[in-house]
Amino acid sequence: MTEARTGVRNGAFHTGTYRNVFREAGYGEEEIAARLAQTWRELFEEGDETRIYYETDDGMGYLLDTGNLDVRTEGMSYGMMMAVQLGHKDTFDRIWRWSWQYMHMKEGPGAGYFAWSCLPDGTRNSNGPAPDGEEYFALALLFASHRWGDGEHPLDYGAKARELLSVCIHKGEDGAGDPMWNPDNKLIKFVPSAEYSDPSYHLPHFYELFALWADPADRPFWQEATEASRAYIRLSCHPETGLSPEYAHYDGTPNDERGYGKFFSDAYRVAANIGLDWEWFRADPQQPAIAGRIQSFFADKEPDDYRRYFIDGTPLEEKALHPVGLLATNAAASLAAGGELALETVRRFWETPVRTGERRYYDNCLYLFAMLALSGRYRIWMPERG
């Protein structure tokens, strides 16, 4: 297997072996597989109170943000990653066709990016992109290319991924638009026009793979972005609680100019990202400690009392909008955290069903990702050897 550039070489990328933390917590392989299949069905196939995926009569499909009644690049790219991990090619292609048809911008300052929000009929709510969607689109497409092979446009997955990654870092060089990564510090932006970041957007484990499979000329950039993002996560996570803000300045300090400098919905994903980065690459020896701090902070808190917090842990009055999602990401951090608390956090998640009701979309996306990660099924799909 191709060597990565950093860290101790005993992550799943190097060994090909993925931990099944559910099994370590005492669950049987058959019940784990059944639970994962059930979760897919609840989100993608059945149950008006749980599903978030809907198919259209013209051979496409979309994931609905059930709280806002729109379709977001976040959810569409998440759905593609879930589908490629579980081998659902038809669903993957339906979601990608919808994204390409309605979200991909062919002209204007955002050309090459994807409009972050549309109505279910495809009408755009915005012509601006959101970088977390782009990075998930790119890696899901690369995995699809490696798992299933490329097809005819727009199912030429590998080419589409490399085109998108090129746009993300070169946009604006001709004077039109802005790149999604700051070209100097190599940090992903909150949006292309903003000069600050969102810690939950930082996916160094994705960038490791972009550095292998993007256009050759762009690979050094992704190598630098990998290191920059790991360092940024360390900076933005509080040294005692492990909590990070939703928005942060480039030095990692909370950016509260718009009220998003606290630990709230976006920031939940940081714990899961740390867990998966450690599982795949084990490149940053500080990650287990950060994951452990996050789990320790929430160890004595009940999900129905999760709140918005200052990153030092001071609670605010506002309750969490997505407690199931927070529970899921804290459990996913067990890929990096160790000890009995990590297993207890996993068991607590296992005992929690998927969310129902109007706010279920975000929680259930994070839920299925945690199911994949903790069952050892969130995997790196490598290109076939010639």
Side-chain angles (χ1 to χ4, degrees), residues 190-191 196-201 232 236 244-249 252-264 266-267 311:
F190 173 66
V191 293
Y196 60 91
S197 194
D198 179 326
S200 75
Y201 286 8
Y232 187 78
S236 60
S244 59
E246 293 192 285
Y247 300 172
H249 298 293
T253 58
N255 177 355
D256 208 28
E257 292 172 4
R258 296 172 54 196
Y260 293 92
K262 318 292 194 305
F263 178 84
F264 205 53
D266 266 22
I311 65 169

Side-chain angles (χ1 to χ4, degrees), residues 48-329:
D48 290 342
E49 282 297 298
T50 59
R51 72 180 300 156
I52 56 176
Y53 169 73
Y54 302 88
E55 294 186 350
T56 64
D57 293 335
D58 54 359
M60 295 187 280
Y62 59 87
L63 280 81
L64 180 70
D65 181 332
T66 54
N68 294 290
L69 300 180
D70 67 345
V71 180
R72 302 185 171 200
T73 52
E74 170 193 73
M76 297 296 273
S77 59
Y78 282 6
M80 287 166 57
M81 182 62 79
M82 295 166 185
V84 72
Q85 292 294 336
L86 291 170
H88 295 284
K89 185 177 186 299
D90 178 68
T91 302
F92 184 100
D93 289 347
R94 285 174 174 270
I95 297 171
W96 175 238
R97 288 183 185 278
W98 201 102
S99 302
W100 185 263
Q101 174 72 25
Y102 297 116
M103 294 177 144
H104 188 256
M105 293 180 280
K106 311 297 194 292
E107 57 187 15
Y113 291 146
F114 289 77
W116 77 275
S117 172
C118 293
L119 296 176
D121 66 4
T123 303
R124 290 181 191 162
N125 290 323
S126 168
N127 284 317
D132 58 334
E134 263 69 3
E135 55 189 349
Y136 268 89
F137 275 138
L139 191 59
L141 287 164
L142 288 167
F143 283 168
S145 176
H146 300 163
R147 185 168 191 180
W148 299 316
D150 293 330
E152 297 295 321
H153 169 82
L155 305 183
D156 49 340
Y157 311 123
K160 290 293 189 290
R162 286 184 285 275
E163 289 169 9
L164 178 56
L165 290 174
S166 179
V167 170
C168 284
I169 62 176
H170 294 295
K171 189 74 172 174
E173 291 178 353
D174 62 356
D178 297 285
M180 285 192 169
W181 272 258
N182 181 290
D184 298 319
N185 60 32
K186 310 300 188 291
L187 297 178
I188 192 170
K189 305 176 185 181
F190 173 66
V191 293
S193 60
E195 289 301 337
Y196 60 91
S197 194
D198 179 326
S200 75
Y201 286 8
H202 286 260
L203 306 174
H205 46 305
F206 283 28
Y207 313 154
E208 287 266 16
L209 301 175
F210 296 162
L212 296 175
W213 303 327
D215 288 341
D218 294 336
R219 293 174 187 178
F221 178 95
W222 294 113
Q223 292 176 13
E224 293 183 63
T226 301
E227 297 306 312
S229 277
R230 288 196 178 117
Y232 187 78
I233 290 169
R234 294 194 299 268
L235 285 173
S236 60
C237 291
H238 190 274
E240 295 179 4
T241 65
L243 304 183
S244 59
E246 293 192 285
Y247 300 172
H249 298 293
Y250 286 147
D251 64 359
T253 58
N255 177 355
D256 208 28
E257 292 172 4
R258 296 172 54 196
Y260 293 92
K262 318 292 194 305
F263 178 84
F264 205 53
S265 302
D266 266 22
Y268 301 170
R269 297 177 291 195
V270 173
N273 296 340
I274 289 171
L276 196 60
D277 187 24
W278 182 253
E279 171 67 4
W280 283 5
F281 291 102
R282 302 203 177 180
D284 183 348
Q286 295 187 45
Q287 288 180 340
I290 297 171
R293 290 181 196 120
I294 297 169
Q295 290 189 339
S296 294
F297 177 77
F298 285 102
D300 63 351
K301 297 172 178 59
E302 292 300 322
D304 62 3
D305 196 38
Y306 288 163
R307 297 175 178 272
R308 187 190 293 268
Y309 301 91
F310 287 97
I311 65 169
D312 68 0
T314 303
L316 296 165
E317 286 297 317
E318 185 177 2
K319 292 288 190 74
L321 295 175
H322 303 288
V324 173
L326 177 52
L327 187 68
T329 55

